[in-house]
Amino acid sequence: MKKILESDCHLAEQDSSTNVLDSQCPFCSVQCTMKLLEKTASERKQYKVVPTQNSTSNGRLCIKGLNAHQHAFHAERLLHPLLKVNGKFVRVTWNEALEFIKENFFNIHKKYGYDSIGVYGSGSLTNEEAYLLGKFARVALKTKYIDYNGRFCMSAAASAMNDAFGMDRGLTNMITEIPSTSCMILAGTNIAECQPTIWPYFYQAKKNGAFIIAIDPRETATSKLANLHLKVKPGTDAALANGFLKVIFEEGYVDQVFVDKKTTGFSELKAHMNQIQLEEIAALTEIPVEKMRLAARQFAVAPTGMIFTARGVEQQTNGYLTVRNFINLVLVTGKIGKFGCGFGAITGQANGQGGREHGQKADQLPGYRSIVHPEHRKYIAKVWGIDEKDLPGKGVSAYEMMQKIAKKEILGLFVMGSNPVMSSPNSLFVEKALKSLKCLIVVDSFLSETAQLADLVLPTSTYLEDEGTMTNFEGRVTWRPANKTPPNEVKHDWQILCEIAKVLGKGSYFSFSSPEEIFQELRLASKGGKADYYGITYDRLKIERVYWPCPSFQHPGKGRLFEQSFAHSDGKARLKVVENEYPKESRSENYPLYLTTGRVLPHYLTGVQTRRSPALAARFTEAYIEIHPKTAKKYKIEPNVLVKIESARGSAVARSKYSLKIREDTVFVPFHWAQKQNINQVTADDLDPVCKMPGFKVCAVRIRPLVNLEKVYKEV
Ligand code: SF4
């Protein structure tokens, strides 16, 4: 991790032959800031990245941010629209590309109706582009089918926070409160490797005496800092939270004053606690009762406490309930709405927060308004200048859209900034579905695995070229400058949307000439909503990062939420009974191991960008399977050999890596590689019934070595 140095800044300011590009890292939700120094020497460009100061990462950059620019200059950047003719891509002009879209979309609309075209967005788009994509789907295409890859990232936490608190924002507190927290539960989150530049806040808390509890089936850089690491059996996190609650009820640690004044549902939760047994939970989770007691007591008696969750507990078919149960813990102990007390779901994608606030979700309108609420619909229809009756209704989630494509209910798909062929569960099914479309249009900077299937690919700008705002994991809006001109015929996402809207006859609703103009409309559309950006302007953001809600220009933005009341109309939070549920997928004689998936530090999501950044790609060149040596021995798997991983859906190949840090019944594979290494060919497509999150973290598999390398590609 690199920290800002005085000498770096001097280099940037003083060398007049150096082109200085101010930017913000395009990868994770911290949104670290940087300067890219571009110098031409002997006709070759040289680049140096210098971290810059901001109030979140404090002048730090991790290895991904330091090398992010490499993909922006990669030789495989798409520079022109590409149309598939007889199975091969050929270069076409923008006019030809737009005509193709017009003709195909009109034909599909005419024959099959507006809902026969779907839109698939991304948690990496700027706020302006995410907002515009939602408007594009509803106003230009008039379809109800829009959703985005954030469904696989934040949907469990978002739905749980909305239901419990009446509002969903990544952190309920300011990040600066973390070092002062006395006890922390880190449930299924590996902040040290996924958001390394904020790890010093947690490290400082430990130095200040905090007791840290990590819940993870694997030992990670994060669990190393913990005083207590609970290596829970995959998929039983909700039950473990019940164990903590049982101790808190049994040993009299409930903050009854807080509960009576600020929550509903206590008597039901209490009755539920009377019915469950710690021994039963210990058997289910494989965490001894004494360890549960220790964790629960430490959290309950600590003067301040915070709980953080992430994909480890959220990407399960009971992810919503699991997060609800961790929220139950902060509520019954009264640890929220006060300094050093709160809840956080650490967002993964760059704009995982802003991307879920302004209309990319199937059920949502800008400002966290609901698409089924009559008043919300009326307000947004007025801002957009359309009749409320013309605003489509609620659609379906990201994976359900793929199911509708397979059933031929959706016949055309417009994908922006996403790679569903790799990021979806059961990805072989998704690939087959996308191949069956009448028209697939993909907007991307590279020929991603999804773009390769498209009929038309439109080249878009990268973070160095595309100005806009993002909202980081704290719920703070940030402004990303971009002073590099896009190469060749590359356009920005927002320009592409405006131009398509124009050929579809809807140009008057999309007459924007800059991201700031779009943001002005977004501000108005969010006004009065839960995610209220009305008081936030580009001028303010050029000086400071601003927390939402921020309803007026004078408002400082709200750093700590729920100090007086929660966001439900009665001001109270909701407690909820959560059963000791099993995940839908379980091990069997045929598939005797658990597979869990995740990230490695140098790579981001499906690797479309990081696999094209040589300095990052070189650190992890291929997929690996982390396996306990005893398990490896049982299946005759040597270290460093290719292993076939099979489930009821499909198979993938990864290289064996022995580790004592993982449970003997579990293997881990990262998800950044394509084709035969794509581990999502193995994962299950069971969805959480509430939030529609797939169960990426619990999948039953069998493994075997592929000893004869020549046979590998024949066998898989
Ligand atoms: Fe910062 Fe995240 Fe980028 Fe690393 S990946 S530099 S932590 S924004």
Side-chain angles (χ1 to χ4, degrees), residues 662-698:
I662 193 156
R663 290 169 55 99
E664 288 174 37
D665 61 0
T666 305
V667 293
F668 168 82
V669 181
F671 51 61
H672 311 291
W673 290 274
Q675 296 170 347
K676 294 187 189 327
Q677 297 181 76
N678 178 7
I679 197 61
N680 277 329
Q681 293 177 163
V682 175
T683 51
D685 62 2
D686 292 324
L687 304 178
D688 181 305
V690 175
C691 64
K692 311 294 180 184
M693 171 73 87
F696 289 112
K697 289 293 187 276
V698 186

mmCIF file of all heavy atoms in Angstrom, residues 662-698:
data_model
loop_
_atom_site.group_PDB
_atom_site.id
_atom_site.type_symbol
_atom_site.label_atom_id
_atom_site.label_comp_id
_atom_site.label_asym_id
_atom_site.label_seq_id
_atom_site.Cartn_x
_atom_site.Cartn_y
_atom_site.Cartn_z
ATOM 1 N N ILE A 662 -7.850 -23.151 5.824
ATOM 2 C CA ILE A 662 -9.232 -23.406 5.407
ATOM 3 C C ILE A 662 -9.759 -24.661 6.095
ATOM 4 O O ILE A 662 -8.990 -25.560 6.455
ATOM 5 C CB ILE A 662 -9.314 -23.533 3.863
ATOM 6 C CG1 ILE A 662 -10.764 -23.466 3.395
ATOM 7 C CG2 ILE A 662 -8.608 -24.778 3.347
ATOM 8 C CD1 ILE A 662 -10.904 -23.017 1.956
ATOM 9 N N ARG A 663 -11.066 -24.732 6.294
ATOM 10 C CA ARG A 663 -11.681 -25.913 6.898
ATOM 11 C C ARG A 663 -11.468 -27.130 5.993
ATOM 12 O O ARG A 663 -11.399 -27.010 4.769
ATOM 13 C CB ARG A 663 -13.199 -25.675 7.065
ATOM 14 C CG ARG A 663 -13.581 -24.658 8.102
ATOM 15 C CD ARG A 663 -15.071 -24.339 7.964
ATOM 16 N NE ARG A 663 -15.874 -25.556 8.031
ATOM 17 C CZ ARG A 663 -16.501 -25.990 9.116
ATOM 18 N NH1 ARG A 663 -16.457 -25.276 10.224
ATOM 19 N NH2 ARG A 663 -17.203 -27.102 9.093
ATOM 20 N N GLU A 664 -11.471 -28.305 6.619
ATOM 21 C CA GLU A 664 -11.225 -29.525 5.841
ATOM 22 C C GLU A 664 -12.391 -29.871 4.912
ATOM 23 O O GLU A 664 -12.220 -30.595 3.933
ATOM 24 C CB GLU A 664 -10.946 -30.706 6.782
ATOM 25 C CG GLU A 664 -9.582 -30.596 7.439
ATOM 26 C CD GLU A 664 -9.352 -31.665 8.483
ATOM 27 O OE1 GLU A 664 -9.807 -32.808 8.275
ATOM 28 O OE2 GLU A 664 -8.734 -31.357 9.521
ATOM 29 N N ASP A 665 -13.598 -29.363 5.234
ATOM 30 C CA ASP A 665 -14.752 -29.698 4.388
ATOM 31 C C ASP A 665 -15.031 -28.634 3.330
ATOM 32 O O ASP A 665 -16.066 -28.660 2.663
ATOM 33 C CB ASP A 665 -16.000 -29.901 5.261
ATOM 34 C CG ASP A 665 -16.369 -28.644 6.045
ATOM 35 O OD1 ASP A 665 -15.663 -27.622 5.906
ATOM 36 O OD2 ASP A 665 -17.347 -28.684 6.812
ATOM 37 N N THR A 666 -14.116 -27.666 3.190
ATOM 38 C CA THR A 666 -14.388 -26.514 2.326
ATOM 39 C C THR A 666 -13.199 -26.248 1.402
ATOM 40 O O THR A 666 -12.051 -26.395 1.808
ATOM 41 C CB THR A 666 -14.642 -25.257 3.207
ATOM 42 O OG1 THR A 666 -15.698 -25.553 4.120
ATOM 43 C CG2 THR A 666 -15.017 -24.041 2.386
ATOM 44 N N VAL A 667 -13.479 -25.842 0.166
ATOM 45 C CA VAL A 667 -12.429 -25.350 -0.726
ATOM 46 C C VAL A 667 -12.816 -23.946 -1.175
ATOM 47 O O VAL A 667 -13.996 -23.579 -1.176
ATOM 48 C CB VAL A 667 -12.222 -26.262 -1.966
ATOM 49 C CG1 VAL A 667 -11.669 -27.609 -1.561
ATOM 50 C CG2 VAL A 667 -13.510 -26.417 -2.776
ATOM 51 N N PHE A 668 -11.794 -23.172 -1.533
ATOM 52 C CA PHE A 668 -12.021 -21.781 -1.954
ATOM 53 C C PHE A 668 -11.440 -21.574 -3.335
ATOM 54 O O PHE A 668 -10.321 -22.000 -3.617
ATOM 55 C CB PHE A 668 -11.353 -20.822 -0.967
ATOM 56 C CG PHE A 668 -11.271 -19.399 -1.456
ATOM 57 C CD1 PHE A 668 -12.360 -18.545 -1.329
ATOM 58 C CD2 PHE A 668 -10.114 -18.902 -2.050
ATOM 59 C CE1 PHE A 668 -12.288 -17.225 -1.795
ATOM 60 C CE2 PHE A 668 -10.033 -17.589 -2.528
ATOM 61 C CZ PHE A 668 -11.122 -16.752 -2.384
ATOM 62 N N VAL A 669 -12.205 -20.903 -4.217
ATOM 63 C CA VAL A 669 -11.700 -20.567 -5.554
ATOM 64 C C VAL A 669 -12.073 -19.114 -5.861
ATOM 65 O O VAL A 669 -13.237 -18.740 -5.737
ATOM 66 C CB VAL A 669 -12.301 -21.495 -6.652
ATOM 67 C CG1 VAL A 669 -11.734 -21.132 -8.028
ATOM 68 C CG2 VAL A 669 -12.026 -22.963 -6.348
ATOM 69 N N PRO A 670 -11.112 -18.266 -6.274
ATOM 70 C CA PRO A 670 -11.468 -16.900 -6.674
ATOM 71 C C PRO A 670 -12.145 -16.882 -8.046
ATOM 72 O O PRO A 670 -11.971 -17.817 -8.838
ATOM 73 C CB PRO A 670 -10.127 -16.153 -6.705
ATOM 74 C CG PRO A 670 -9.064 -17.183 -6.675
ATOM 75 C CD PRO A 670 -9.664 -18.506 -6.304
ATOM 76 N N PHE A 671 -12.886 -15.776 -8.303
ATOM 77 C CA PHE A 671 -13.779 -15.795 -9.488
ATOM 78 C C PHE A 671 -13.367 -14.858 -10.626
ATOM 79 O O PHE A 671 -14.193 -14.410 -11.400
ATOM 80 C CB PHE A 671 -15.213 -15.467 -9.056
ATOM 81 C CG PHE A 671 -15.349 -14.210 -8.223
ATOM 82 C CD1 PHE A 671 -14.977 -12.980 -8.716
ATOM 83 C CD2 PHE A 671 -15.857 -14.268 -6.935
ATOM 84 C CE1 PHE A 671 -15.111 -11.834 -7.957
ATOM 85 C CE2 PHE A 671 -16.000 -13.131 -6.154
ATOM 86 C CZ PHE A 671 -15.617 -11.910 -6.673
ATOM 87 N N HIS A 672 -12.081 -14.572 -10.760
ATOM 88 C CA HIS A 672 -11.674 -13.540 -11.720
ATOM 89 C C HIS A 672 -11.313 -14.059 -13.111
ATOM 90 O O HIS A 672 -10.956 -13.267 -13.973
ATOM 91 C CB HIS A 672 -10.461 -12.784 -11.179
ATOM 92 C CG HIS A 672 -10.617 -12.315 -9.773
ATOM 93 N ND1 HIS A 672 -11.493 -11.317 -9.422
ATOM 94 C CD2 HIS A 672 -10.019 -12.712 -8.620
ATOM 95 C CE1 HIS A 672 -11.413 -11.114 -8.111
ATOM 96 N NE2 HIS A 672 -10.537 -11.946 -7.602
ATOM 97 N N TRP A 673 -11.345 -15.365 -13.325
ATOM 98 C CA TRP A 673 -10.839 -15.898 -14.594
ATOM 99 C C TRP A 673 -11.969 -16.499 -15.436
ATOM 100 O O TRP A 673 -12.968 -16.963 -14.901
ATOM 101 C CB TRP A 673 -9.737 -16.921 -14.329
ATOM 102 C CG TRP A 673 -8.504 -16.230 -13.817
ATOM 103 C CD1 TRP A 673 -7.508 -15.669 -14.564
ATOM 104 C CD2 TRP A 673 -8.162 -15.990 -12.451
ATOM 105 N NE1 TRP A 673 -6.569 -15.090 -13.733
ATOM 106 C CE2 TRP A 673 -6.937 -15.271 -12.438
ATOM 107 C CE3 TRP A 673 -8.763 -16.297 -11.225
ATOM 108 C CZ2 TRP A 673 -6.316 -14.872 -11.266
ATOM 109 C CZ3 TRP A 673 -8.148 -15.888 -10.044
ATOM 110 C CH2 TRP A 673 -6.939 -15.189 -10.078
ATOM 111 N N ALA A 674 -11.704 -16.550 -16.748
ATOM 112 C CA ALA A 674 -12.775 -16.876 -17.693
ATOM 113 C C ALA A 674 -12.705 -18.323 -18.176
ATOM 114 O O ALA A 674 -11.818 -19.081 -17.809
ATOM 115 C CB ALA A 674 -12.678 -15.930 -18.891
ATOM 116 N N GLN A 675 -13.672 -18.634 -19.005
ATOM 117 C CA GLN A 675 -13.780 -19.926 -19.699
ATOM 118 C C GLN A 675 -13.683 -21.104 -18.724
ATOM 119 O O GLN A 675 -14.440 -21.166 -17.779
ATOM 120 C CB GLN A 675 -12.735 -19.994 -20.807
ATOM 121 C CG GLN A 675 -13.018 -18.920 -21.849
ATOM 122 C CD GLN A 675 -11.921 -18.745 -22.860
ATOM 123 O OE1 GLN A 675 -10.820 -19.246 -22.699
ATOM 124 N NE2 GLN A 675 -12.205 -18.015 -23.893
ATOM 125 N N LYS A 676 -12.717 -22.018 -18.940
ATOM 126 C CA LYS A 676 -12.700 -23.223 -18.101
ATOM 127 C C LYS A 676 -12.331 -22.919 -16.651
ATOM 128 O O LYS A 676 -12.535 -23.735 -15.767
ATOM 129 C CB LYS A 676 -11.747 -24.257 -18.698
ATOM 130 C CG LYS A 676 -12.252 -24.767 -20.046
ATOM 131 C CD LYS A 676 -11.454 -25.881 -20.587
ATOM 132 C CE LYS A 676 -11.807 -26.240 -22.011
ATOM 133 N NZ LYS A 676 -13.188 -26.063 -22.408
ATOM 134 N N GLN A 677 -11.756 -21.740 -16.429
ATOM 135 C CA GLN A 677 -11.408 -21.353 -15.056
ATOM 136 C C GLN A 677 -12.543 -20.584 -14.368
ATOM 137 O O GLN A 677 -12.390 -20.174 -13.220
ATOM 138 C CB GLN A 677 -10.164 -20.474 -15.070
ATOM 139 C CG GLN A 677 -8.930 -21.159 -15.602
ATOM 140 C CD GLN A 677 -7.741 -20.222 -15.546
ATOM 141 O OE1 GLN A 677 -7.164 -19.985 -14.495
ATOM 142 N NE2 GLN A 677 -7.392 -19.659 -16.683
ATOM 143 N N ASN A 678 -13.630 -20.356 -15.072
ATOM 144 C CA ASN A 678 -14.733 -19.576 -14.495
ATOM 145 C C ASN A 678 -15.494 -20.421 -13.474
ATOM 146 O O ASN A 678 -16.276 -21.304 -13.834
ATOM 147 C CB ASN A 678 -15.670 -19.108 -15.617
ATOM 148 C CG ASN A 678 -16.862 -18.332 -15.078
ATOM 149 O OD1 ASN A 678 -16.929 -18.030 -13.873
ATOM 150 N ND2 ASN A 678 -17.789 -18.023 -15.952
ATOM 151 N N ILE A 679 -15.304 -20.100 -12.215
ATOM 152 C CA ILE A 679 -15.877 -20.920 -11.149
ATOM 153 C C ILE A 679 -17.398 -20.767 -11.077
ATOM 154 O O ILE A 679 -18.091 -21.611 -10.502
ATOM 155 C CB ILE A 679 -15.200 -20.603 -9.788
ATOM 156 C CG1 ILE A 679 -15.470 -21.699 -8.754
ATOM 157 C CG2 ILE A 679 -15.599 -19.228 -9.260
ATOM 158 C CD1 ILE A 679 -14.960 -23.064 -9.113
ATOM 159 N N ASN A 680 -17.926 -19.724 -11.713
ATOM 160 C CA ASN A 680 -19.392 -19.592 -11.715
ATOM 161 C C ASN A 680 -20.080 -20.592 -12.653
ATOM 162 O O ASN A 680 -21.306 -20.658 -12.698
ATOM 163 C CB ASN A 680 -19.812 -18.156 -12.032
ATOM 164 C CG ASN A 680 -19.766 -17.305 -10.783
ATOM 165 O OD1 ASN A 680 -19.999 -17.803 -9.679
ATOM 166 N ND2 ASN A 680 -19.440 -16.035 -10.931
ATOM 167 N N GLN A 681 -19.287 -21.377 -13.363
ATOM 168 C CA GLN A 681 -19.882 -22.496 -14.110
ATOM 169 C C GLN A 681 -20.316 -23.594 -13.135
ATOM 170 O O GLN A 681 -21.043 -24.505 -13.497
ATOM 171 C CB GLN A 681 -18.866 -23.048 -15.116
ATOM 172 C CG GLN A 681 -18.579 -22.039 -16.218
ATOM 173 C CD GLN A 681 -17.529 -22.500 -17.214
ATOM 174 O OE1 GLN A 681 -17.431 -21.940 -18.291
ATOM 175 N NE2 GLN A 681 -16.733 -23.478 -16.856
ATOM 176 N N VAL A 682 -19.839 -23.469 -11.897
ATOM 177 C CA VAL A 682 -20.087 -24.486 -10.872
ATOM 178 C C VAL A 682 -21.168 -24.031 -9.877
ATOM 179 O O VAL A 682 -21.930 -24.843 -9.368
ATOM 180 C CB VAL A 682 -18.752 -24.763 -10.120
ATOM 181 C CG1 VAL A 682 -18.946 -25.714 -8.963
ATOM 182 C CG2 VAL A 682 -17.693 -25.293 -11.081
ATOM 183 N N THR A 683 -21.232 -22.713 -9.623
ATOM 184 C CA THR A 683 -22.085 -22.222 -8.527
ATOM 185 C C THR A 683 -23.582 -22.416 -8.816
ATOM 186 O O THR A 683 -24.005 -22.524 -9.966
ATOM 187 C CB THR A 683 -21.802 -20.729 -8.236
ATOM 188 O OG1 THR A 683 -21.865 -20.017 -9.474
ATOM 189 C CG2 THR A 683 -20.442 -20.545 -7.602
ATOM 190 N N ALA A 684 -24.356 -22.403 -7.729
ATOM 191 C CA ALA A 684 -25.791 -22.713 -7.819
ATOM 192 C C ALA A 684 -26.619 -21.460 -8.073
ATOM 193 O O ALA A 684 -26.251 -20.365 -7.641
ATOM 194 C CB ALA A 684 -26.241 -23.369 -6.516
ATOM 195 N N ASP A 685 -27.760 -21.632 -8.738
ATOM 196 C CA ASP A 685 -28.601 -20.474 -9.026
ATOM 197 C C ASP A 685 -29.819 -20.376 -8.108
ATOM 198 O O ASP A 685 -30.778 -19.673 -8.429
ATOM 199 C CB ASP A 685 -29.011 -20.448 -10.499
ATOM 200 C CG ASP A 685 -29.833 -21.675 -10.878
ATOM 201 O OD1 ASP A 685 -30.105 -22.510 -9.998
ATOM 202 O OD2 ASP A 685 -30.213 -21.778 -12.055
ATOM 203 N N ASP A 686 -29.764 -21.033 -6.953
ATOM 204 C CA ASP A 686 -30.828 -20.810 -5.968
ATOM 205 C C ASP A 686 -30.723 -19.361 -5.496
ATOM 206 O O ASP A 686 -29.623 -18.878 -5.243
ATOM 207 C CB ASP A 686 -30.628 -21.719 -4.743
ATOM 208 C CG ASP A 686 -30.850 -23.176 -5.095
ATOM 209 O OD1 ASP A 686 -31.734 -23.457 -5.917
ATOM 210 O OD2 ASP A 686 -30.116 -24.015 -4.551
ATOM 211 N N LEU A 687 -31.873 -18.698 -5.364
ATOM 212 C CA LEU A 687 -31.851 -17.283 -4.973
ATOM 213 C C LEU A 687 -32.482 -17.095 -3.608
ATOM 214 O O LEU A 687 -33.401 -17.829 -3.231
ATOM 215 C CB LEU A 687 -32.623 -16.442 -5.997
ATOM 216 C CG LEU A 687 -32.186 -16.534 -7.466
ATOM 217 C CD1 LEU A 687 -33.092 -15.662 -8.339
ATOM 218 C CD2 LEU A 687 -30.733 -16.118 -7.648
ATOM 219 N N ASP A 688 -31.980 -16.096 -2.883
ATOM 220 C CA ASP A 688 -32.628 -15.695 -1.633
ATOM 221 C C ASP A 688 -34.051 -15.238 -1.982
ATOM 222 O O ASP A 688 -34.233 -14.421 -2.883
ATOM 223 C CB ASP A 688 -31.827 -14.532 -1.027
ATOM 224 C CG ASP A 688 -32.388 -14.049 0.292
ATOM 225 O OD1 ASP A 688 -33.592 -13.703 0.370
ATOM 226 O OD2 ASP A 688 -31.613 -13.996 1.260
ATOM 227 N N PRO A 689 -35.068 -15.762 -1.277
ATOM 228 C CA PRO A 689 -36.438 -15.425 -1.679
ATOM 229 C C PRO A 689 -36.783 -13.951 -1.502
ATOM 230 O O PRO A 689 -37.692 -13.449 -2.167
ATOM 231 C CB PRO A 689 -37.304 -16.297 -0.753
ATOM 232 C CG PRO A 689 -36.400 -16.725 0.365
ATOM 233 C CD PRO A 689 -35.009 -16.703 -0.162
ATOM 234 N N VAL A 690 -36.087 -13.236 -0.637
ATOM 235 C CA VAL A 690 -36.417 -11.819 -0.406
ATOM 236 C C VAL A 690 -35.638 -10.909 -1.351
ATOM 237 O O VAL A 690 -36.212 -10.094 -2.062
ATOM 238 C CB VAL A 690 -36.136 -11.435 1.067
ATOM 239 C CG1 VAL A 690 -36.360 -9.943 1.298
ATOM 240 C CG2 VAL A 690 -37.008 -12.259 1.993
ATOM 241 N N CYS A 691 -34.307 -11.045 -1.347
ATOM 242 C CA CYS A 691 -33.490 -10.080 -2.095
ATOM 243 C C CYS A 691 -32.982 -10.620 -3.419
ATOM 244 O O CYS A 691 -32.388 -9.881 -4.199
ATOM 245 C CB CYS A 691 -32.314 -9.626 -1.242
ATOM 246 S SG CYS A 691 -31.174 -10.959 -0.833
ATOM 247 N N LYS A 692 -33.192 -11.916 -3.678
ATOM 248 C CA LYS A 692 -32.787 -12.565 -4.935
ATOM 249 C C LYS A 692 -31.272 -12.646 -5.106
ATOM 250 O O LYS A 692 -30.768 -12.686 -6.230
ATOM 251 C CB LYS A 692 -33.420 -11.871 -6.154
ATOM 252 C CG LYS A 692 -34.916 -11.639 -6.032
ATOM 253 C CD LYS A 692 -35.679 -12.936 -6.017
ATOM 254 C CE LYS A 692 -37.179 -12.720 -5.903
ATOM 255 N NZ LYS A 692 -37.933 -13.933 -5.794
ATOM 256 N N MET A 693 -30.563 -12.635 -4.011
ATOM 257 C CA MET A 693 -29.113 -12.859 -4.037
ATOM 258 C C MET A 693 -28.854 -14.343 -4.267
ATOM 259 O O MET A 693 -29.437 -15.191 -3.591
ATOM 260 C CB MET A 693 -28.522 -12.439 -2.686
ATOM 261 C CG MET A 693 -27.067 -12.822 -2.500
ATOM 262 S SD MET A 693 -25.940 -11.816 -3.466
ATOM 263 C CE MET A 693 -25.663 -10.450 -2.345
ATOM 264 N N PRO A 694 -27.965 -14.692 -5.208
ATOM 265 C CA PRO A 694 -27.622 -16.116 -5.366
ATOM 266 C C PRO A 694 -26.737 -16.591 -4.211
ATOM 267 O O PRO A 694 -26.070 -15.801 -3.552
ATOM 268 C CB PRO A 694 -26.834 -16.148 -6.678
ATOM 269 C CG PRO A 694 -27.028 -14.812 -7.319
ATOM 270 C CD PRO A 694 -27.313 -13.854 -6.215
ATOM 271 N N GLY A 695 -26.701 -17.914 -4.025
ATOM 272 C CA GLY A 695 -25.910 -18.478 -2.917
ATOM 273 C C GLY A 695 -24.475 -18.781 -3.328
ATOM 274 O O GLY A 695 -24.039 -19.932 -3.263
ATOM 275 N N PHE A 696 -23.720 -17.744 -3.731
ATOM 276 C CA PHE A 696 -22.349 -17.955 -4.207
ATOM 277 C C PHE A 696 -21.439 -18.604 -3.163
ATOM 278 O O PHE A 696 -20.468 -19.239 -3.502
ATOM 279 C CB PHE A 696 -21.706 -16.616 -4.579
ATOM 280 C CG PHE A 696 -22.250 -15.970 -5.811
ATOM 281 C CD1 PHE A 696 -22.973 -14.792 -5.728
ATOM 282 C CD2 PHE A 696 -22.021 -16.517 -7.060
ATOM 283 C CE1 PHE A 696 -23.452 -14.167 -6.857
ATOM 284 C CE2 PHE A 696 -22.500 -15.902 -8.200
ATOM 285 C CZ PHE A 696 -23.224 -14.726 -8.101
ATOM 286 N N LYS A 697 -21.741 -18.383 -1.896
ATOM 287 C CA LYS A 697 -20.784 -18.782 -0.871
ATOM 288 C C LYS A 697 -20.962 -20.217 -0.369
ATOM 289 O O LYS A 697 -20.147 -20.691 0.419
ATOM 290 C CB LYS A 697 -20.872 -17.811 0.335
ATOM 291 C CG LYS A 697 -20.315 -16.425 0.020
ATOM 292 C CD LYS A 697 -18.814 -16.476 -0.213
ATOM 293 C CE LYS A 697 -18.199 -15.102 -0.366
ATOM 294 N NZ LYS A 697 -18.270 -14.535 -1.705
ATOM 295 N N VAL A 698 -22.020 -20.878 -0.787
ATOM 296 C CA VAL A 698 -22.217 -22.261 -0.358
ATOM 297 C C VAL A 698 -22.639 -23.093 -1.563
ATOM 298 O O VAL A 698 -23.739 -22.957 -2.080
ATOM 299 C CB VAL A 698 -23.300 -22.377 0.737
ATOM 300 C CG1 VAL A 698 -23.362 -23.811 1.256
ATOM 301 C CG2 VAL A 698 -23.023 -21.426 1.877
#
